[in-house]
Amino acid sequence: MSVPIVRTLADLRSVVAGWRKDKARIAVVPTMGALHEGHLSLVRAALARADRVIVTLFVNPKQFNSAADLAAYPRTEEEDADKLAPLGAHLLYVPDGSEIYPPGFATTVSVTGVSEGLCGAKRPGHFDGVATVVAKLFLQTGADIAFFGEKDLQQLHVVRRMASDLDLPIEIVGCPTVREADGLALSSRNVRLSAGERAIAPKLVAILDEAARSLSAGAPAASLLQAANRSILAAGFREVEYVELRSAADLAPLELADRPARLLAAAWLGQTRLIDNVVVQPAAE
Ligand code: PAF
């Protein structure tokens, strides 16, 4: 069976209105396509918690920092639809650009605090673009529950903050990062890695895991993070944007893992920017 595709807000609303009449609980999984097992795990989680699951596919120009990156973003709608069909997703919403940003569109949803630092520091406007499109997708679909991957941990926090601050009647669920057998976090950008880069890429999470073990044992972050930074460069990455220890609850910077925490990193491998994060559990008292 194939997954039905709608491209206009009017068609989306008429499908959703039918489901609402049946009192269905509706989930949304927002994506930019190029679906991989990470996305599919979100769809499975959504199917387990809702009666109807809408996957959205929109390559959102407002969250890209360069026209070249936007142009190079993989677009694989047919393959994406083929991957969704066997799972039993109920609808694929692929809005035309004008359904999201009609002429004259002038509104930005901007979340302060949690969107600053980490990826926000190097990608000005990125989280405004994410918050704006996600707010629209929530309102357009009218979903009760939404699913996001923890690989983009800062994005998950930005979306949670936005939904809470704007009283959007939707539950936000974060799902664990899906990894290749060698540890590399799945990402639509991984297809851009050369064979040599692909061999280096899993070293990022290996270095984070090792640092996380020392942090869990009570080591102070400052020198460990510097050492992790040097190890990432030594492994063959071109540039490290950040390696930081943050509180798991609100992403506040930490100097010690004295509460549940995450170690997050972004680094460039050739022309590809990879991000990842790992759990840091404080040592039991
Ligand atoms: O994570 C993504 O793919 C995007 O940032 C999202 C949430 C679909 C918004 O465009």
Side-chain angles (χ1 to χ4, degrees):
M1 259 225 334
S2 58
V3 57
I5 300 179
V6 292
R7 297 181 192 278
T8 66
L9 178 54
D11 287 347
L12 173 69
R13 288 221 158 120
S14 98
V15 174
V16 169
W19 292 346
R20 284 278 171 225
K21 264 199 207 128
D22 297 339
K23 305 243 179 306
R25 180 168 167 80
I26 299 171
V28 63
V29 181
T31 83
M32 297 204 300
L35 300 185
H36 51 63
E37 199 44 48
H39 298 110
L40 303 186
S41 75
L42 301 180
V43 176
R44 286 190 199 99
L47 284 160
R49 298 272 317 267
D51 306 307
R52 292 285 178 271
V53 174
I54 305 170
V55 178
T56 69
L57 192 177
F58 180 67
V59 182
N60 174 31
K62 287 199 191 292
Q63 70 185 78
F64 283 81
N65 295 96
S66 91
D69 195 23
L70 173 61
Y73 203 82
R75 286 161 172 85
T76 55
E77 182 186 316
E78 251 178 62
E79 290 94 318
D80 292 343
D82 288 347
K83 286 178 187 166
L84 291 171
L87 299 187
H90 300 90
L91 195 68
L92 179 57
Y93 177 46
V94 191
D96 298 330
S98 61
E99 296 290 337
I100 301 291
Y101 302 123
F105 187 86
T107 299
T108 298
V109 179
S110 190
V111 178
T112 58
V114 77
S115 66
E116 290 153 19
L118 302 172
C119 292
K122 288 275 179 160
R123 304 191 67 189
H126 168 71
F127 287 118
D128 285 359
V130 169
T132 303
V133 81
V134 170
K136 290 213 54 149
L137 293 169
F138 285 178
L139 293 165
Q140 291 193 347
T141 58
D144 304 295
I145 183 166
F147 292 78
F148 293 85
E150 287 184 353
K151 185 177 79 71
D152 296 293
L153 191 66
Q154 191 176 14
Q155 165 172 284
L156 173 61
H157 279 263
V158 167
V159 168
R160 277 194 205 288
R161 185 80 255 166
M162 174 198 64
S164 158
D165 287 355
L166 298 182
D167 305 313
L168 299 181
I170 188 163
E171 180 187 348
I172 311 298
V173 179
C175 298
T177 302
V178 178
R179 298 181 181 281
E180 301 281 6
D182 61 9
L184 176 64
L186 295 195
S187 162
S188 305
R189 291 171 196 265
N190 291 353
V191 292
R192 294 196 206 161
L193 298 171
S194 68
E197 290 166 349
R198 175 64 189 81
I200 294 170
K203 295 188 178 164
L204 179 63
V205 68
I207 292 164
L208 292 181
D209 275 338
E210 196 185 324
R213 279 193 288 277
S214 305
L215 289 163
S216 289
S223 57
L224 254 172
L225 298 185
Q226 276 174 18
N229 198 311
R230 283 193 299 272
S231 301
I232 295 168
L233 292 173
F237 283 76
R238 174 166 68 78
E239 184 195 331
V240 178
E241 280 188 7
Y242 62 80
V243 188
E244 291 196 36
L245 182 68
R246 298 288 184 114
S247 150
D250 59 3
L251 292 189
L254 293 182
E255 286 173 8
L256 267 185
D258 53 3
R259 66 201 81 172
R262 291 276 181 144
L263 182 59
L264 303 96
W268 286 85
L269 190 48
Q271 296 310 305
T272 308
R273 182 178 181 274
L274 298 181
I275 63 172
D276 208 339
N277 67 85
V278 300
V279 169
V280 183
Q281 284 301 352
E285 299 279 303

